Amino acid sequence: MTDPRYDVVAIGNAIVDVMAPCEDELIEELGLAKGGMTLVDTERAQELYDAMGRATEISGGSAANTLAGMAALGSQCAFVGQVAKDQLGDIFAHDIRAVGIDFDTQPREGDPPTARCLIFVTPDGERTMNTFLGASQFLPPAALDEELIASAGVLYLEGYLWDPEEPRSAMRRAIDVSRDAGRKVAFTASESFVIERHGDDFRALIEEGKIDILFVNEHELATLTGKTDFEAGLDALKDKVPTLVATRSAKGAVAIANGERAEVPAEPIAKVVDTTGAGDLFAAGFLTGHTRGENLETCLRMGAICAGEIISHIGARSEKDLNALVAEKLG
């Protein structure tokens, strides 16, 4: 087996994040589920956009955010995701390439337009996301560069993208290509509602041994296993995936790999400003450590450091030099 060209190649939603601060009253006025992620249609997306104050636009999507963190840490990454041939598609492509991520998926002609996530950030740092998936739902298997997939040490898959048929088929094919090449497959469950819809698929992938690294938070763990007790949930999965990573927000994170368990607290920060991308950046730190051969606790600490940095400001892109920050914190 040849050495990988990329540390990680990720497949995920190609979304432009539109982020704006707001008061709790606006969340109530718009009838939004505070702290959640809701899928919206074109009309609702326009209504919410019109209600936003001054906003920041940046390429986003869960897996893309993770790669941006990894690139900031010095990892070599590539992204596969579908945009439309429109202004937001151009913004996404330019922005993700500008942070050092290879992105060569061809834009799609016609409707629907490029996906966007409208994120309302309340004063307590909670983010309420409203996602119009648009063109990102139409990533076909034919869009995959199988040589690219096989050239990555780790294939990272975003659970959010499992919902629509075309990208689900593309990710299934990518898993086969990656495993045939002797590479690892990492999977993030993304959100409990995704598991509620596709839990049977996810559990089958786990049972078949097709997932090497599984990322869940404590709520997703409970939904996936049917165990409301955190430790019982860990016990249900720890022997089924080589590396299980479970995050618990302020309670820190746990990882279990081949019988070894490590646990770290959350990184202390002065104030939680915006939780957007916290899980994505945790995965960035952990995967960077993993691809560099760091031990389990160090991988967790790298994840916690990156997550701590990202929740200290608005947006899912680091404002500090992540490499320097990780080196300083790890000593």
Side-chain angles (χ1 to χ4, degrees):
M1 183 172 64
T2 59
D3 290 338
R5 175 185 174 192
Y6 292 98
D7 296 302
V8 172
V9 167
I11 301 177
N13 280 309
I15 299 175
V16 175
D17 284 342
V18 184
M19 294 170 290
C22 76
E23 298 299 322
D24 287 302
E25 288 77 11
L26 183 60
I27 299 293
E28 295 178 12
E29 179 184 329
L30 293 171
L32 302 177
K34 183 177 176 179
M37 198 289 282
T38 304
L39 298 178
V40 298
D41 59 18
T42 307
E43 183 178 347
R44 177 64 165 163
Q46 188 61 52
E47 176 190 353
L48 295 176
Y49 184 75
D50 290 344
M52 294 181 108
R54 178 171 294 185
T56 301
E57 297 178 349
I58 191 168
S59 65
S62 175
N65 288 339
T66 294
L67 292 193
M70 293 193 70
L73 289 166
S75 297
Q76 192 70 27
C77 303
F79 180 73
V80 178
Q82 190 67 64
V83 297
K85 188 173 284 188
D86 56 19
Q87 183 178 5
L88 283 182
D90 291 342
I91 289 172
F92 181 91
H94 177 272
D95 188 71
I96 199 168
R97 290 169 183 153
V99 297
I101 300 166
D102 287 351
F103 174 61
D104 296 314
T105 309
Q106 291 301 304
R108 188 175 185 271
E109 298 278 359
D111 289 329
T114 296
R116 71 287 313 264
C117 183
L118 307 172
I119 305 171
F120 293 81
V121 185
T122 42
D124 59 359
E126 195 68 73
R127 82 281 186 272
T128 301
M129 300 187 295
N130 302 271
T131 304
F132 170 65
L133 291 172
S136 68
Q137 300 177 91
F138 297 95
L139 175 74
L144 294 179
D145 179 343
E146 295 192 359
E147 289 186 7
L148 174 73
I149 301 299
S151 72
V154 177
L155 170 68
Y156 182 62
L157 302 175
E158 178 185 324
Y160 282 132
L161 198 57
W162 199 263
D163 205 42
E165 181 179 350
E166 280 191 276
R168 182 166 66 249
S169 297
M171 289 197 286
R172 286 189 182 279
R173 177 58 189 157
I175 289 172
D176 291 339
V177 170
S178 181
R179 298 197 69 82
D180 287 346
R183 309 304 193 185
K184 291 182 178 180
V185 176
F187 191 91
T188 176
S190 293
E191 188 123 0
S192 289
F193 85 86
V194 180
I195 302 170
E196 289 168 358
R197 290 173 62 89
H198 300 287
D200 288 345
D201 275 358
F202 298 163
R203 284 182 282 269
L205 290 173
I206 291 167
E207 293 289 345
E208 293 164 11
K210 292 186 175 181
I211 304 299
D212 299 289
I213 306 168
L214 177 65
F215 291 94
V216 290
N217 64 31
E218 58 184 331
H219 305 296
E220 295 155 7
L221 179 66
T223 305
L224 188 61
T225 63
K227 309 287 187 183
T228 55
D229 178 75
F230 181 70
E231 291 296 331
L234 293 178
D235 287 341
L237 284 182
K238 66 181 182 181
D239 297 324
K240 296 182 178 180
V241 289
T243 302
L244 172 63
V245 184
T247 58
R248 307 185 75 187
S249 299
K251 299 175 186 175
V254 176
I256 302 173
N258 302 313
E260 176 193 354
R261 175 173 173 142
E263 190 165 354
V264 299
E267 283 293 308
I269 64 167
K271 180 184 178 182
V272 174
V273 175
D274 174 18
T275 57
T276 305
D280 304 334
L281 269 291
F282 186 95
F286 187 94
L287 286 172
T288 298
H290 179 83
T291 58
R292 292 177 183 173
E294 300 287 358
N295 63 45
L296 202 58
E297 182 177 352
T298 299
C299 292
L300 283 175
R301 285 216 60 206
M302 291 176 69
I305 291 165
C306 292
E309 193 283 332
I310 221 67
I311 64 176
S312 68
H313 56 79
I314 291 179
R317 296 293 170 84
S318 57
E319 293 185 349
K320 295 181 179 178
D321 182 330
L322 281 185
N323 252 335
L325 182 63
V326 167
E328 174 191 344
K329 296 275 190 177
L330 291 180

